Amino acid sequence: MIKYPNKKETFTATKISSKNRGMVFENVINETNEFYLNNNIAVIHKKPIPIQIVKVDYPSRSSAVIKEAYYKVPSTTDYNGVYKSKYIDFEAKETNNLTSFPLQNIHLHQIKHLEDIHDQGGIAFILVYFKKLDEVYYLSISNLLNFVQRSNKGRKSITLDEFKHYGHYIKEGFNPRIDYLKIVDNYIKGSLWAFFYFSSILSYSFS
Amino acid sequence: MIKYPNKKETFTATKISSKNRGMVFENVINETNEFYLNNNIAVIHKKPIPIQIVKVDYPSRSSAVIKEAYYKVPSTTDYNGVYKSKYIDFEAKETNNLTSFPLQNIHLHQIKHLEDIHDQGGIAFILVYFKKLDEVYYLSISNLLNFVQRSNKGRKSITLDEFKHYGHYIKEGFNPRIDYLKIVDNYIKGSLWAFFYFSSILSYSFS
C-alpha cells in the first residue's frame, strides 16, 4: 500500500470534503459547459479527478476492476478549454462563509498554475460561489495574486466587498446557468483593442 | 512525478499490459512538456485517466482508499494546454505496425473533440509513434479528418508514406525530447500571416 506523508493525506482529505460541498456548483458549471459545447460557443471540459492506481484485477479478459487506489492532490485546475481561439483555465470554489472567501481553499500550486497560464497569454481566473448568499463571482488571476501577496503579511481571505469591487458578479440565468464567458469577453476585447492599437502603430511606422 | 514503491511498480506493470506498451512514449512526451514548463515555453499537461469510482473506504479520518473503480472511456484527449496564447490539444498514440497506423486506435469521440477544438480556433493534432521504426509523426486534425472520411469507404489506416507526405516527422532530440511545438510554430505563423493580411486589407479599406 502506498503511504502518503501524513500532511498530504490531510491535504487530500480536506480537498475531498470541500469537493463534496461543491457538488451542486460543480453541476451548474458542467451544465453551463455543456450548453457552450452544444451551441458551438466553446469547448471547455472538467478534468478527471487525479487518482493513484495501485491494484487492478482482471476478472475476465474484457474487464478491469481497480481494487486499490488513492486520491492525488491535483497539480492543475479543474476546468480548461478553448473559446474564440483563446485558452481558458479556471478553478471553481465555494464557501459557506457569508462575508469572505478564505485563501486556503485554493492550493498554492493551483495559483501558480493559473499564473503560468496567464504568462503564456491564456485567460486564467477563479469562480467563487458564496453558497449561503447564492452569489457567484469571477476573479481574474491578476487580482487573485494581489490578494495572495497581501496574505503573506495580513488578511488571509478576500472579502465579499472586494469580490464586488475587483471581481465580477455573475447573475444566474436559465441557460447557460452561469455565463462566465460573458466576463471573459471583456478580457478578450481588452487585449484585442491593445493588439489593433499596436498593429496600427506598426503599420503607420512602416507606411 | 510520483514514484511507486518497487513492488507496486512490478505489480502494476504486469497487470496493465496495454497501458505499458505506451509507457515509454508517454514518458517522452511528459519529459518534453516538463521541459516546456520549466523553460516558460508552454504550459501543457497530461489529463488524469478518467475513472468511475464506486466504493471508497475511510480507514481513518484523514485517509480515503478507493476499493472499487472502473476505467472510463476518455471523452477528450490526453494532452492540452497553452502556447503563445494558443490553445493546444492533442492525442498521442503508438503502433507496433511497420507501414501503417490503424484508425481504430483513436476513439471516434476523440476525433470529434479535436475537430471541435479546431473549429474554436485551437491547434489540434495527433502524435503517432511507430515503435519499431522509432519514428514520431505529427498529423493535424484537418489531415486526420480526410483519412477518417476515406475510411468510410476504403482503407482504414494511414500509411507511413502518407504520414511523411501529409504529416511532419519529428526527430528525437536531447532536450526537449520530442519538440512538437516546432511544428505548431508553422501553424501559428500561417494563421498570423493570414491575420496580418486581413488587417492590412481592413486598414487599407478604412484609410
Side-chain angles (χ1 to χ4, degrees), chain A residues 177-201:
Chain A
R177 296 278 297 273
I178 294 293
D179 194 5
Y180 61 85
L181 289 181
K182 219 186 232 170
I183 316 292
V184 169
D185 273 334
N186 296 334
Y187 286 89
I188 293 179
K189 261 182 221 157
S191 61
L192 258 187
W193 278 119
F195 185 81
F196 272 110
Y197 180 74
F198 173 75
S199 300
S200 65
I201 291 174

Side-chain angles (χ1 to χ4, degrees), chain B residues 50 89 93 97 109 124-125 171 181 185:
Chain B
D89 198 302
K93 294 286 181 196
N97 289 12
H109 51 259
F125 56 94
K171 199 171 177 283
L181 288 181
D185 272 334

Side-chain angles (χ1 to χ4, degrees), chain A residues 118-132:
Chain A
H118 179 73
D119 291 347
Q120 270 301 326
I123 292 170
F125 56 93
I126 57 167
L127 293 181
V128 174
Y129 178 42
F130 284 84
K131 212 171 170 173
K132 290 183 175 163

